[in-house]
Amino acid sequence: MSAKILVVEDEEKLARFVELELIHEGYEVRTEGSGRAALAEALAGSYDLILLDIMLPELNGLEVLRRLKKEKDTPVILLTARDAVMDKVSGLDAGAVDYVTKPFAIEELLARIRVALKLHPRQDGNVQGVQTTSEGMLVWGPLTMDIPRHRVTMNGHEIPLTNREFLMLRTLLENMDIVLSRDTLLEKVCGYEYAGETNVIDVYIRYLRSKIDDVFDVHMIRTVRGVGYVINKWEA
Ligand code: CA
């Protein structure tokens, strides 16, 4: 499952444009046009990020934000009018992680979304679908990752992994259903000091797929175009 984004915008053309761009980037998107409906949806649903316009009918964006934050920690990026300095300040005070001023270039919005998702990974969905046993095992369907023994098996067959392949697989499994960017993976797998190319991540993904997906005929590691990689919950 890719990252889920709730777009709250009452200008229909703009909402539709943003929705299409986000879908094109591989996100799962829902749009709401009123503050009240948006708040209900944000509270009921499970979103990785909310894009929230401030000027909305029924309940304005800042009020939606304040009420949402009492219940949930979903990251919110505000869409504000140019020069609405007070809105920006109030919004950040109320817990928004960022804001984008209208009219915006879609590339800027997409970049801020990527940053927000990276800095605020979803908490509640973290290890759903992965069972973590007391012995430090991660279990994804037929695959078992024995962390202390540094051993990965699929249906009992051992899969030989290098240290970095192991770390990569572990990171993806521990962040089940969260799309991790190449930069995030790079930090986890190669460390902060790593100064090489981020495409080294693609290379490790290829190695992992050749050892797991290809051999055992599963579709474990998914590519989310323009975003990164994810392992979704095991589905039998
Ligand atoms: Ca509006």
Side-chain angles (χ1 to χ4, degrees):
M1 207 188 303
S2 46
K4 273 179 78 177
I5 300 180
L6 178 63
V7 178
V8 186
E9 171 59 70
D10 60 315
E11 290 160 56
E12 277 180 31
K13 270 189 181 166
L14 180 59
R16 184 70 185 140
F17 169 67
V18 170
E19 181 183 16
L20 288 175
E21 290 290 335
L22 293 180
I23 290 170
H24 183 70
E25 292 296 313
Y27 297 113
E28 210 179 306
V29 187
R30 182 182 169 113
T31 59
E32 290 291 349
S34 87
R36 209 166 288 283
L39 180 63
E41 179 58 28
L43 289 174
S46 178
Y47 290 92
D48 297 279
L49 182 75
I50 299 170
L51 294 182
L52 182 60
D53 182 31
I54 289 188
M55 297 294 286
L56 289 170
E58 296 176 34
L59 202 61
N60 77 45
L62 288 176
E63 201 45 45
V64 171
L65 177 63
R66 286 191 195 102
R67 295 193 195 182
L68 173 73
K69 286 290 152 179
K70 285 183 190 157
E71 313 269 335
K72 278 188 149 178
D73 227 16
T74 314
V76 172
I77 296 178
L78 290 173
L79 305 177
T80 72
R82 186 184 292 278
D83 300 331
V85 179
M86 274 319 291
D87 281 353
K88 291 168 191 168
V89 173
S90 315
L92 294 173
D93 280 348
V97 297
D98 203 355
Y99 60 82
V100 175
T101 305
K102 294 201 245 181
F104 49 80
I106 192 68
E107 290 75 17
E108 185 194 353
L109 181 66
L110 293 175
R112 287 178 186 272
I113 288 171
R114 285 193 292 271
V115 170
L117 288 173
K118 184 171 144 184
L119 293 178
H120 307 275
R122 197 198 299 191
Q123 298 300 317
D124 58 8
N126 238 354
V127 268
Q128 273 175 18
V130 181
Q131 298 164 31
T132 312
T133 68
S134 52
E135 294 86 35
M137 315 268 261
L138 292 171
V139 181
W140 181 83
L143 182 139
T144 302
M145 193 163 201
D146 182 339
I147 308 286
R149 289 174 197 80
H150 211 279
R151 199 161 171 265
V152 179
T153 55
M154 178 74 106
N155 292 323
H157 298 280
E158 184 152 3
I159 304 168
L161 297 181
T162 64
N163 278 339
R164 281 186 171 172
E165 289 162 2
F166 189 89
L167 249 179
M168 173 90 94
L169 184 62
R170 180 181 177 172
T171 304
L172 286 165
L173 278 176
E174 286 177 340
N175 293 280
M176 171 81 44
D177 277 347
I178 298 170
V179 182
L180 299 177
S181 69
R182 288 174 179 78
D183 288 338
T184 302
L185 285 168
L186 199 65
E187 281 174 15
K188 300 273 188 199
V189 176
C190 303
Y192 288 96
E193 73 283 3
Y194 181 79
E197 295 291 321
T198 54
N199 67 14
V200 68
I201 292 303
D202 303 296
V203 174
Y204 289 129
I205 292 283
R206 207 152 39 201
Y207 291 157
L208 277 177
R209 281 176 173 156
S210 72
K211 290 179 176 182
I212 301 174
D213 295 43
D214 298 354
V215 175
F216 297 96
D217 195 26
V218 291
H219 189 33
M220 187 177 193
I221 304 172
R222 282 193 49 229
T223 305
V224 180
R225 212 177 67 83
V227 189
Y229 295 101
V230 63
I231 292 178
N232 294 130
K233 285 190 204 88
W234 165 258
E235 283 173 36

